[in-house]
């Protein structure tokens, strides 16, 4: 097998686009295939992971992509279906149709790793209209290599190779490119892509933890933010197993419950409307909630969750969400205001009094009287608060236990409530009084949480672009739903994105 390039001496993922672009025309190949090294082991045996492009036997109009391990003999890890190419092109990437076929093949193979793939229509725009497409093309090969290595690579290559690939996958350049790629693919394919990747990451972490090895996750959180059409938007994904464990109870969960809790991911969307008003002496920047959505989505199908887990209903639920909105440069910021007062809630109290009396038998003296009073207080499960610190606006949502009123994320249920089948967190995705959607997520919309945060900015900043930092935390809590256990835990993730706003 001929090799036209090598990157074995570098920890960087190779530039696949340039390598393909520099290949000679297929009709001039001196062998049936060309290959490039993606990773070479430091061991004495020096096995390496390689990508090859091969001519289909007896036909130069078809090519086959493959990832393989190069030992003394080659071990194939993944092979594409034959792709018809245009032989009139000087190189494979000179023809837009060839590029589209290779790129769409990569996307389709990555989506095959998603357990619940839905067919989504996707048509690649003209390449000339796509900025950074070369980088997206290379990142797709990196993602495919990462997934194939997790599932298929032999043991003596796998661990070292994965740690090198994950460093590239999680670096700043890759994260920036991935944001453009997600926008290109669209939200439906983006969800499937992230579920495929995070399922692989979850499997990898489970395997490493089983060997009691420490692991820094390759990408514990994927998020991106943007500003357009009067809205700031942050999209985020995180596998549950990679979230920080804040607290947990004993005894430890059983094996089936561990599986159910591990094989989920958080999918969140933060949408904030913003508006700029030019006053005579200052500028007002007004933001308010459009939609805050958070879902906990399973990463395996129902059959596997039922066979190996405690059931799909045994999963974490959102218990607190906290957002901070801060202008990055504050020299021109004059003041900040919020539109919601601290709550002084009215209490709906229904009172029932009863008196019971009885006369003791004739041979004893005295009268026995008992009295009782029942008081019912209605509590709203989600409490919303606004606050200000310096020029930063804080938005907080807290879930409360509807029985005792305590915050869920910072407390644990009583032993009685864990045993009580009528506790609010039991049967929590079907109960009519549930504080979640039927799927187990939450939606905070403008109709109920549309209070404003308003900054007054000096008039001299008119026409300038200002940066705002959106920083947030999401807490997820597990209390038993139907599974018999006393185990509880709370996990937390943190995200931070910079968005822009033109003061005009």
């Amino acid at each position: 097998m001929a090799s036209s390039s090598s990157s074995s001496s570098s920890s960087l993922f190779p530039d696949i686009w340039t390598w393909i672009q520099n290949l000679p025309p297929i009709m001039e190949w001196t062998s049936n295939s060309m290959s490039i090294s993606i990773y070479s082991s430091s061991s004495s045996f020096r096995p390496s992971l390689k990508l090859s492009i091969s001519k289909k036997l007896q036909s130069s109009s078809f090519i086959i992509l493959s990832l393989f391990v190069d030992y003394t003999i080659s071990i194939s890890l993944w092979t594409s279906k034959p792709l018809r190419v245009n032989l009139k092109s000087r190189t494979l990437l000179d023809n837009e149709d060839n590029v589209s076929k290779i790129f769409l093949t990569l996307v389709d193979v990555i989506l095959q790793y998603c357990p619940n793939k839905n067919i989504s229509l996707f048509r690649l725009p003209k390449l000339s209209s796509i900025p950074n497409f070369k980088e997206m093309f290379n990142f797709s090969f990196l993602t495919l290599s990462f997934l194939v290595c997790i599932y298929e690579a032999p043991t003596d290559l796998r661990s070292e190779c994965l740690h090198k690939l994950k460093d590239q996958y999680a670096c700043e350049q890759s994260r920036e490119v991935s944001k453009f790629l997600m926008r290109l693919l669209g939200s439906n394919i983006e969800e499937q892509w992230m579920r495929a990747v995070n399922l692989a990451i979850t499997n990898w972490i489970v395997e490493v933890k089983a060997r009691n090895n420490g692991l820094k996750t390759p990408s514990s959180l994927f998020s991106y933010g943007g500003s357009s059409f009067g809205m700031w938007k942050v999209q985020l994904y995180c596998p549950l197993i990679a979230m920080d464990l804040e607290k947990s109870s004993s005894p430890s969960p059983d094996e089936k419950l561990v599986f159910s809790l591990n094989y989920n991911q958080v999918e969140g969307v933060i949408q904030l409307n913003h508006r700029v008003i030019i006053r005579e002496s200052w500028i007002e920047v007004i933001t308010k909630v459009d939609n805050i959505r958070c879902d906990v989505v399973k990463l395996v199908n129902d059959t596997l969750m039922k066979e190996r887990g405690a059931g799909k209903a045994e999963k974490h639920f959102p218990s607190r969400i906290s957002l901070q909105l801060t202008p990055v440069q504050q020299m021109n910021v004059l003041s900040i205001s919020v539109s919601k007062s601290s709550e002084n809630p009215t209490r709906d109290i229904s009172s029932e009094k009863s008196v019971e009396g009885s006369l003791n038998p004739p041979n004893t003296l005295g009268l026995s009287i008992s009295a009782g009073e029942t008081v019912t207080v209605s509590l709203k499960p989600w409490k919303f608060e606004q606050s200000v610190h310096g020029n930063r606006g804080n938005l907080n949502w807290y879930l409360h236990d509807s029985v005792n009123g305590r915050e869920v994320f910072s407390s644990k249920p009583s032993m009685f409530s864990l045993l009580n089948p009528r506790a609010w967190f039991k049967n929590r995705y079907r109960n009519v009084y549930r504080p979640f959607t039927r799927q187990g997520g939450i939606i905070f919309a403008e109709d109920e949480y549309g209070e404003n945060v308003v900054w007054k900015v000096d008039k001299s900043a008119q026409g300038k672009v200002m940066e705002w930092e959106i920083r947030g935390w999401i807490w997820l809590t597990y209390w038993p739903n139907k599974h018999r256990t006393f185990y509880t835990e709370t996990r937390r993730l943190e995200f931070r994105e910079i968005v822009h706003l033109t003061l005009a």
Side-chain angles (χ1 to χ4, degrees), residues 355-373:
V355 178
E356 296 181 357
S358 64
L359 186 65
N360 290 333
N363 58 350
T364 62
L365 296 176
L367 181 66
S368 171
I369 299 176
S370 64
E373 181 176 2

Side-chain angles (χ1 to χ4, degrees), residues 3-258:
S3 177
S4 62
S5 177
S6 175
S7 63
S8 60
S9 62
S10 173
S11 62
L12 296 177
F13 192 78
D15 183 351
I16 304 296
W17 176 280
T18 300
W19 173 70
I20 297 176
Q21 186 70 35
N22 291 335
L23 289 176
I26 293 180
M27 301 300 292
E28 298 177 12
W29 287 11
T30 57
S31 66
N32 285 328
S33 64
M34 295 288 187
S35 67
I36 181 173
S37 179
I38 290 176
Y39 169 76
S40 289
S41 172
S42 59
S43 71
S44 57
F45 296 103
R46 298 192 64 80
S48 59
L49 179 66
K50 292 185 175 182
L51 167 70
S52 75
I53 298 180
S54 306
K55 295 186 293 186
K56 189 177 179 183
L57 293 178
Q58 301 172 342
S59 175
S60 295
S61 59
F62 287 89
I63 62 169
I64 296 174
L65 307 175
S66 63
L67 287 167
F68 68 97
V69 177
D70 189 13
Y71 284 103
T72 51
I73 60 173
S74 296
I75 301 176
S76 177
L77 304 182
W78 166 78
T79 302
S80 75
K81 62 184 179 182
L83 304 176
R84 181 184 290 274
V85 294
N86 188 335
L87 297 180
K88 295 181 181 179
S89 302
R90 285 292 302 168
T91 71
L92 287 173
L93 301 185
D94 279 350
N95 183 279
E96 186 162 323
D97 186 51
N98 292 348
V99 178
S100 297
K101 285 179 180 178
I102 296 174
F103 177 73
L104 293 176
T105 294
L106 297 175
V107 172
D108 184 63
V109 172
I110 290 167
L111 296 183
Q112 293 297 331
Y113 287 96
C114 179
N116 299 302
K117 182 182 177 184
N118 298 314
I119 303 300
S120 299
L121 181 63
F122 173 69
R123 184 173 288 111
L124 191 66
K126 284 191 172 295
L127 300 184
S128 58
S129 67
I130 307 175
N132 305 319
F133 184 74
K134 170 186 171 180
E135 288 75 16
M136 296 183 209
F137 186 87
N138 286 336
F139 179 76
S140 299
F141 267 106
L142 170 60
T143 304
L144 177 60
S145 302
F146 185 58
L147 296 182
V148 169
C149 194
I150 287 176
Y151 288 111
E152 307 294 343
T155 306
D156 53 352
L157 176 71
R158 183 144 154 244
S159 179
E160 190 177 340
C161 180
L162 277 175
H163 278 79
K164 292 294 184 182
L165 290 177
K166 67 96 173 173
D167 288 342
Q168 281 302 298
Y169 190 82
C171 75
E172 188 63 31
Q173 180 182 359
S174 292
R175 292 177 71 85
E176 285 302 312
V177 171
S178 64
K179 296 173 185 180
F180 289 107
L181 176 60
M182 294 303 103
R183 294 186 184 118
L184 173 66
L185 297 177
S187 59
N188 290 340
I189 296 180
E190 173 187 312
E191 286 183 355
Q192 296 174 50
W193 178 291
M194 293 308 305
R195 291 173 189 177
V197 170
N198 283 338
L199 172 58
I201 291 174
T202 299
N203 283 325
W204 182 29
I205 296 175
V206 167
E207 177 188 336
V208 173
K209 284 187 173 182
R211 297 199 303 264
N212 296 318
N213 291 337
L215 171 70
K216 184 179 180 181
T217 57
S219 180
S220 59
L221 170 74
F222 172 78
S223 66
Y224 64 89
S227 177
S228 61
F229 307 110
M231 178 180 289
W232 289 329
K233 180 179 178 180
V234 175
Q235 187 91 30
L236 59 92
Y237 301 87
C238 185
L240 256 296
I241 197 172
M243 292 177 65
D244 294 331
L245 180 62
E246 285 219 330
K247 64 185 182 69
S248 62
S249 67
S250 57
S252 299
D254 58 82
E255 186 176 330
K256 283 184 171 291
L257 181 58
V258 169

Side-chain angles (χ1 to χ4, degrees), residues 249-373:
S249 67
S250 57
S252 299
D254 58 82
E255 186 176 330
K256 283 184 171 291
L257 181 58
V258 169
F259 185 90
S260 286
L261 297 183
N262 282 343
Y263 282 87
N264 288 283
Q265 80 167 6
V266 187
E267 298 180 3
V269 178
I270 313 296
Q271 292 178 183
L272 304 170
N273 291 327
H274 60 73
R275 185 160 52 104
V276 176
I277 299 179
I278 308 297
R279 303 291 188 187
E280 183 177 348
S281 302
W282 67 83
I283 301 170
E284 286 185 359
V285 177
I286 304 171
T287 67
K288 64 178 180 179
V289 171
D290 175 76
N291 257 217
I292 310 291
R293 303 192 296 273
C294 181
D295 290 294
V296 180
V297 179
K298 65 181 185 297
L299 291 173
V300 295
N301 58 39
D302 289 344
T303 301
L304 188 58
M305 185 63 81
K306 185 176 180 180
E307 290 176 354
R308 297 190 55 190
K312 63 181 181 180
E314 299 304 317
K315 63 179 182 177
H316 294 75
F317 54 83
S319 55
R320 180 186 174 186
I321 294 180
S322 180
L323 298 179
Q324 295 180 353
L325 313 178
T326 312
V328 176
Q329 296 177 334
Q330 301 186 13
M331 183 177 65
N332 293 314
V333 178
L334 304 175
S335 67
I336 180 175
S337 304
V338 293
S339 63
K340 183 178 177 62
S341 302
S342 298
E343 279 195 312
N344 184 21
T346 58
R347 303 178 70 187
D348 298 328
I349 298 178
S350 61
S351 179
E352 180 180 334
K353 296 182 178 180
S354 61
V355 178
E356 296 181 357
S358 64
L359 186 65
N360 290 333
N363 58 350
T364 62
L365 296 176
L367 181 66
S368 171
I369 299 176
S370 64
E373 181 176 2

